[in-house]
Short mmCIF file of all heavy atoms in Angstrom, two decimals:
data_model
loop_
_atom_site.label_atom_id
_atom_site.label_comp_id
_atom_site.label_asym_id
_atom_site.label_seq_id
_atom_site.Cartn_x
_atom_site.Cartn_y
_atom_site.Cartn_z
N ARG A 246 -62.83 62.11 36.07
CA ARG A 246 -61.92 63.25 36.04
C ARG A 246 -62.60 64.47 35.44
O ARG A 246 -63.20 64.38 34.36
CB ARG A 246 -60.69 62.92 35.19
CG ARG A 246 -59.84 61.82 35.74
CD ARG A 246 -58.49 61.73 35.05
NE ARG A 246 -58.55 61.61 33.61
CZ ARG A 246 -58.35 60.49 32.93
NH1 ARG A 246 -58.10 59.38 33.56
NH2 ARG A 246 -58.40 60.49 31.62
N PRO A 247 -62.49 65.62 36.09
CA PRO A 247 -62.95 66.85 35.46
C PRO A 247 -61.97 67.24 34.36
O PRO A 247 -60.75 67.10 34.54
CB PRO A 247 -62.95 67.87 36.59
CG PRO A 247 -61.96 67.35 37.58
CD PRO A 247 -61.96 65.86 37.43
N LEU A 248 -62.48 67.69 33.24
CA LEU A 248 -61.64 68.08 32.11
C LEU A 248 -61.90 69.54 31.79
O LEU A 248 -63.04 69.95 31.59
CB LEU A 248 -61.97 67.23 30.89
CG LEU A 248 -61.82 65.72 31.05
CD1 LEU A 248 -62.42 65.00 29.86
CD2 LEU A 248 -60.36 65.36 31.24
N SER A 249 -60.85 70.31 31.73
CA SER A 249 -60.97 71.70 31.30
C SER A 249 -59.63 72.09 30.71
O SER A 249 -58.64 71.36 30.83
CB SER A 249 -61.36 72.62 32.46
OG SER A 249 -60.40 72.55 33.49
N GLY A 250 -59.58 73.22 30.06
CA GLY A 250 -58.34 73.71 29.49
C GLY A 250 -57.70 72.71 28.54
O GLY A 250 -58.37 72.09 27.71
N ALA A 251 -56.40 72.51 28.68
CA ALA A 251 -55.64 71.63 27.78
C ALA A 251 -56.10 70.17 27.87
O ALA A 251 -56.13 69.47 26.86
CB ALA A 251 -54.16 71.73 28.10
N ALA A 252 -56.48 69.71 29.07
CA ALA A 252 -56.96 68.34 29.22
C ALA A 252 -58.24 68.12 28.44
O ALA A 252 -58.44 67.06 27.83
CB ALA A 252 -57.17 68.01 30.69
N LEU A 253 -59.10 69.11 28.43
CA LEU A 253 -60.34 69.01 27.66
C LEU A 253 -60.05 68.98 26.17
O LEU A 253 -60.57 68.14 25.45
CB LEU A 253 -61.27 70.18 28.00
CG LEU A 253 -62.52 70.31 27.13
CD1 LEU A 253 -63.34 69.04 27.13
CD2 LEU A 253 -63.34 71.49 27.59
N VAL A 254 -59.21 69.87 25.71
CA VAL A 254 -58.86 69.91 24.28
C VAL A 254 -58.28 68.57 23.84
O VAL A 254 -58.63 68.05 22.78
CB VAL A 254 -57.90 71.07 23.98
CG1 VAL A 254 -57.37 71.01 22.56
CG2 VAL A 254 -58.59 72.41 24.24
N ALA A 255 -57.42 67.98 24.67
CA ALA A 255 -56.80 66.70 24.34
C ALA A 255 -57.82 65.56 24.28
O ALA A 255 -57.61 64.58 23.55
CB ALA A 255 -55.71 66.36 25.35
N ALA A 256 -58.92 65.68 25.01
CA ALA A 256 -59.92 64.61 25.07
C ALA A 256 -61.04 64.77 24.06
O ALA A 256 -61.88 63.87 23.92
CB ALA A 256 -60.52 64.57 26.48
N LEU A 257 -61.09 65.87 23.32
CA LEU A 257 -62.24 66.15 22.45
C LEU A 257 -62.53 65.06 21.43
O LEU A 257 -63.69 64.67 21.26
CB LEU A 257 -62.05 67.49 21.73
CG LEU A 257 -62.17 68.73 22.61
CD1 LEU A 257 -61.87 69.98 21.79
CD2 LEU A 257 -63.55 68.82 23.24
N ASP A 258 -61.53 64.55 20.75
CA ASP A 258 -61.79 63.53 19.73
C ASP A 258 -62.40 62.27 20.32
O ASP A 258 -63.37 61.74 19.80
CB ASP A 258 -60.51 63.18 18.97
CG ASP A 258 -60.13 64.25 17.96
OD1 ASP A 258 -61.01 64.99 17.48
OD2 ASP A 258 -58.92 64.35 17.65
N LEU A 260 -64.03 61.95 23.19
CA LEU A 260 -65.37 62.23 23.71
C LEU A 260 -66.38 62.40 22.59
O LEU A 260 -67.53 61.95 22.71
CB LEU A 260 -65.34 63.47 24.60
CG LEU A 260 -64.57 63.29 25.92
CD1 LEU A 260 -64.43 64.62 26.63
CD2 LEU A 260 -65.26 62.27 26.80
N SER A 287 -66.08 71.50 21.81
CA SER A 287 -65.06 72.55 21.79
C SER A 287 -65.54 73.83 22.44
O SER A 287 -64.75 74.58 23.01
CB SER A 287 -64.63 72.85 20.35
OG SER A 287 -63.93 71.76 19.82
N TYR A 289 -67.01 74.15 25.10
CA TYR A 289 -66.73 74.09 26.52
C TYR A 289 -65.30 74.54 26.83
O TYR A 289 -65.03 75.06 27.89
CB TYR A 289 -66.98 72.69 27.08
CG TYR A 289 -68.46 72.41 27.19
CD1 TYR A 289 -69.16 71.90 26.11
CD2 TYR A 289 -69.14 72.69 28.36
CE1 TYR A 289 -70.52 71.66 26.19
CE2 TYR A 289 -70.50 72.46 28.46
CZ TYR A 289 -71.19 71.95 27.37
OH TYR A 289 -72.53 71.74 27.46
N SER A 290 -64.39 74.33 25.88
CA SER A 290 -63.02 74.77 26.12
C SER A 290 -62.88 76.28 25.98
O SER A 290 -61.91 76.87 26.44
CB SER A 290 -62.05 74.06 25.18
OG SER A 290 -62.28 74.42 23.84
N ALA A 291 -63.87 76.93 25.37
CA ALA A 291 -63.84 78.39 25.20
C ALA A 291 -64.30 79.13 26.44
O ALA A 291 -64.11 80.33 26.55
CB ALA A 291 -64.71 78.78 24.00
N SER A 292 -64.91 78.42 27.36
CA SER A 292 -65.41 79.04 28.59
C SER A 292 -64.55 78.62 29.77
O SER A 292 -64.37 77.42 30.01
CB SER A 292 -66.86 78.60 28.85
OG SER A 292 -67.26 78.99 30.15
N ASP A 293 -64.03 79.58 30.50
CA ASP A 293 -63.25 79.23 31.69
C ASP A 293 -64.14 78.80 32.85
O ASP A 293 -63.66 78.40 33.90
CB ASP A 293 -62.32 80.37 32.10
CG ASP A 293 -63.05 81.64 32.50
OD1 ASP A 293 -64.27 81.75 32.26
OD2 ASP A 293 -62.40 82.54 33.04
N ALA A 295 -66.69 76.51 32.24
CA ALA A 295 -67.29 75.25 31.82
C ALA A 295 -66.41 74.07 32.24
O ALA A 295 -65.22 74.22 32.48
CB ALA A 295 -67.47 75.24 30.31
N ILE A 297 -66.17 69.57 31.54
CA ILE A 297 -66.66 68.26 31.14
C ILE A 297 -66.04 67.28 32.12
O ILE A 297 -64.86 67.35 32.42
CB ILE A 297 -66.26 67.91 29.69
CG1 ILE A 297 -66.98 68.84 28.71
CG2 ILE A 297 -66.59 66.45 29.40
CD1 ILE A 297 -66.65 68.57 27.25
N TYR A 301 -63.47 57.20 32.78
CA TYR A 301 -62.50 56.43 32.01
C TYR A 301 -62.25 55.07 32.64
O TYR A 301 -62.18 54.95 33.86
CB TYR A 301 -61.17 57.18 31.95
CG TYR A 301 -61.25 58.48 31.19
CD1 TYR A 301 -61.63 59.65 31.83
CD2 TYR A 301 -60.97 58.52 29.84
CE1 TYR A 301 -61.73 60.85 31.13
CE2 TYR A 301 -61.06 59.71 29.13
CZ TYR A 301 -61.44 60.87 29.79
OH TYR A 301 -61.53 62.04 29.09
#
Side-chain angles (χ1 to χ4, degrees):
R246 295 193 306 256
L248 303 169
S249 59
L253 172 56
V254 172
L257 289 176
D258 284 334
L260 292 172
S287 291
Y289 286 87
S290 66
S292 169
D293 62 349
I297 293 180
Y301 295 87

